[in-house]
Amino acid sequence: MAIRNIVKDGDEILTKKCRPVTKFDRKLHVLLDDMAETMHRANGVGLAAPQVGILRRAVVIDVSPEQNDVLELVNPQIIAYSGTQEGNEGCLSFPGQWGIVKRPNYVKVRAQDRFGEEFEIEGKELLARAFCHEIDHLNGVVFKEVCERMLTRKEIEEMNV
Ligand code: CO
């Protein structure tokens, strides 16, 4: 496994729509392993392939405090959602920036695993937020575009992150 470079704010790759994954091969497995390691090292809860420069529909998510519960979603689609939550959201591609983003409180996703096997997974609260945020990345959408407003520097200082 290896740490990959995270694409940052202003790079146009973050605005591009990703293509589906069609080959569930070793190259994909290495990408997913590297993405998980990169996400953990950066203390993030999610990372999408375009954030490491790959325009393919793959994301990793880990909302566990111990960083030991990685979810890999290949070609994910939101198939159901309900409720709303409003909260602070950041992104590894936008270090030090936070916004208030409204998301569904419950999200159900259909995706494929690293071998191409289809599965469904549900999430609430932070996990639902992560599903939405990461799938947005695959469509070239970043949280700054969907936020109610960005937090001020003072508000970020008070968050203590
Ligand atoms: Co992000």
Side-chain angles (χ1 to χ4, degrees):
M1 298 213 286
I3 302 288
R4 301 215 184 183
N5 190 41
I6 298 177
V7 169
K8 296 290 173 9
D9 189 3
D11 194 315
E12 68 171 19
I13 203 160
L14 293 173
T15 68
K16 299 210 163 130
K17 193 171 159 81
C18 298
R19 293 185 301 273
V21 171
T22 52
K23 287 185 194 156
F24 296 83
D25 55 4
R26 185 175 146 71
K27 202 172 160 193
L28 174 68
H29 299 177
V30 170
L31 172 66
L32 290 166
D33 288 344
D34 288 355
M35 284 170 60
E37 193 176 358
T38 304
M39 167 182 71
H40 284 152
R41 181 69 65 86
N43 286 314
V45 298
L47 191 69
Q51 291 181 277
V52 293
I54 308 290
L55 286 169
R56 290 286 178 177
R57 303 186 78 81
V59 311
V60 293
I61 290 172
D62 188 348
V63 296
S64 70
E66 304 82 12
Q67 296 194 332
N68 61 2
D69 189 17
V70 178
L71 298 171
E72 298 174 344
L73 306 177
V74 179
N75 300 325
Q77 284 178 279
I78 292 174
I79 56 169
Y81 62 90
S82 65
T84 54
Q85 57 173 317
E86 190 173 274
N88 296 340
E89 198 166 307
C91 178
L92 293 177
S93 294
F94 298 82
Q97 300 185 51
W98 295 82
I100 298 174
V101 188
K102 252 188 212 165
R103 299 287 191 186
N105 199 48
Y106 163 87
V107 173
K108 187 175 189 179
V109 172
R110 180 176 296 147
Q112 285 165 286
D113 67 14
R114 60 167 58 202
F115 304 104
E117 201 66 41
E118 206 172 79
F119 67 99
E120 290 179 3
I121 183 166
E122 301 172 302
K124 287 188 297 190
E125 292 151 12
L126 179 59
L127 184 54
R129 178 176 293 282
F131 287 151
C132 296
H133 179 111
E134 300 311 329
I135 292 171
D136 272 356
H137 272 301
L138 304 181
N139 296 320
V141 174
V142 298
F143 79 104
K144 288 177 81 167
E145 292 169 62
V146 295
C147 72
E148 305 294 306
R149 66 174 180 85
M150 294 300 284
L151 296 189
T152 63
R153 207 169 63 184
K154 189 162 183 293
E155 285 172 318
I156 293 168
E157 279 165 17
E158 284 163 5
M159 273 172 66
N160 212 1
V161 290

